Amino acid sequence: NINRYANAYKKELASSPDNPMLNNSIAMCYLKLKLYTKAVQSFEDAIADNIDNSESYFYAAVALLNGKKAFLANRNTIDKIEEYINAALAIEPRGLYYLFFAYIRYDYYFRKHFKVEPNYAELLRKANSVGYSRVDSDLLFDILAVDKPQDF
């Protein structure tokens, strides 16, 4: 079904290439199909067409991990992910975004014994204070294709 949706979105994009909703939709299909490079490009196209959609930044950051743990990413990728997360949070401070930010700070920085502020524990507290659901958390780690850390 995802391939069918992706193909339909591609046809629509041919006639309306600057439609941010179509770019977001096809990017989500690519993300679910684990076509991370295409997903990132489509999310970036959506961002270029509508800079006020926090979800485009968030999911672009998620896709940049390529289905791998943050621990395995290089520093340039982590910097780009944090840039996108900060942009998403500036637009809309959602608990899920803070949760993902906490994961990045935990898996990349904490596990490598790097000190950074705010640290993952502070970001987890912020995520909890803003609020997110267990379903959101489960979906996040499912999309990331990594096990949820024990502290999360």
Side-chain angles (χ1 to χ4, degrees):
N1 282 340
I2 294 173
N3 276 329
R4 191 172 37 158
Y5 286 121
N7 288 331
Y9 295 139
K10 281 184 203 177
K11 287 179 186 175
E12 287 294 320
L13 276 173
S15 62
S16 183
D18 295 334
N19 184 324
M21 296 302 287
L22 284 174
N23 281 316
N24 264 341
S25 297
I26 198 164
M28 287 303 294
C29 290
Y30 288 143
L31 185 59
K32 289 181 184 207
L33 291 169
K34 300 182 185 318
L35 299 171
Y36 300 108
T37 303
K38 287 184 174 188
V40 169
Q41 183 58 53
S42 292
F43 283 122
E44 288 176 343
D45 290 345
I47 290 167
D49 295 335
N50 179 6
I51 62 171
D52 294 328
N53 186 346
S54 65
E55 287 187 2
S56 296
Y57 293 98
F58 171 72
Y59 285 113
V62 168
L64 281 168
L65 285 176
N66 291 318
K68 298 177 184 164
K69 292 184 174 204
F71 184 85
L72 300 173
N74 66 44
R75 184 57 188 260
N76 289 336
T77 300
I78 294 297
D79 289 344
K80 187 71 171 174
I81 288 168
E82 290 189 339
E83 178 184 324
Y84 281 151
I85 294 170
N86 282 316
L89 286 167
I91 296 166
E92 185 179 5
R94 294 172 59 183
L96 183 61
Y97 300 168
Y98 282 109
L99 181 67
F100 179 56
F101 201 0
Y103 166 73
I104 295 298
R105 291 289 170 98
Y106 171 81
D107 205 59
Y108 186 82
Y109 293 96
F110 179 75
R111 288 189 57 209
K112 292 184 180 193
H113 305 286
F114 296 149
K115 291 200 181 251
V116 64
E117 292 296 327
N119 63 35
Y120 85 93
E122 294 169 56
L123 289 167
L124 270 178
R125 283 191 292 277
K126 184 67 174 177
N128 285 322
S129 72
V130 173
Y132 64 91
S133 72
R134 167 70 86 204
V135 172
D136 285 342
S137 173
D138 291 344
L139 286 173
L140 172 64
F141 287 98
D142 184 51
I143 289 172
L144 289 172
V146 299
D147 293 330
K148 188 185 305 187
Q150 187 174 349
D151 293 346
F152 288 65

